[in-house]
Amino acid sequence: EVQLVESGGGLVQAGESLRLSCAASGFTFVDYAIGWFRQAPGKEREGVSCISSSDGSTTYADSVKGRFTISSDNAKNTMYLQMNSLKPEDTAVYYCAARLFVNSCEPDEYHYWGQGTQVTVSS
C-alpha cells in the first residue's frame, strides 16, 4: 500500500529554519515525480518544490526560491524539504506527494499524498 508520512513541522520564529521529511512506503522514487506542496487557510494548494520524473530536474515556487531546497534519499525512500529564512507567509500545512511519470508541480496532477504537517512562522 502506498503511504507517505510527513514529519518535522512546528512553530518557529521568522528567520529560523526547519527540515521536513517524508517517508514513503509501498513504492520507490524511481520513475516518480515527487514534491512538496502547501496550503494556507483560505488559499488554494500550491506547489512549493518538485522533482521531475523525466530527468530529475527541480522546480521551486518564486516565493521560496533561494530559501528552500528539495532533496531525496533513495536508499531511505525519504524526501526532504530544507526551509531556511522562514517568513510568516510560509505558514501553511505542508504536504508531500508523488505520482508516476509526471513532470509538473501542479497539485492536481499528483495521486499520492501524505497527511500534512503544520508549519507556523511567527513574526
Side-chain angles (χ1 to χ4, degrees), residues 5-108:
V5 180
E6 301 97 336
S7 62
L11 173 63
V12 298
Q13 293 184 339
E16 296 183 345
S17 299
L18 283 173
R19 189 178 76 158
L20 305 183
S21 298
C22 175
S25 61
F27 73 105
T28 63
F29 293 152
V30 176
D31 294 328
Y32 279 78
I34 55 175
W36 288 94
F37 301 79
R38 68 185 182 187
Q39 188 165 19
K43 296 184 178 180
E44 295 183 356
R45 190 169 299 184
E46 64 174 337
V48 176
S49 181
C50 294
I51 302 176
S52 172
S53 65
S54 60
D55 60 3
S57 61
T58 59
T59 60
Y60 294 90
D62 288 343
S63 59
V64 307
K65 200 168 188 177
R67 299 187 297 120
F68 291 9
T69 303
I70 190 171
S71 62
S72 63
D73 185 334
N74 290 349
K76 296 181 178 180
N77 226 34
T78 301
M79 68 175 83
Y80 306 94
L81 184 68
Q82 179 66 45
M83 304 185 293
N84 297 328
S85 301
L86 283 161
K87 304 175 180 179
E89 51 263 44
D90 295 319
T91 296
V93 177
Y94 283 71
Y95 302 87
C96 62
R99 187 190 173 181
L100 187 65
F101 301 138
V102 298
N103 300 312
S104 77
C105 204
E106 293 291 333
D108 287 349

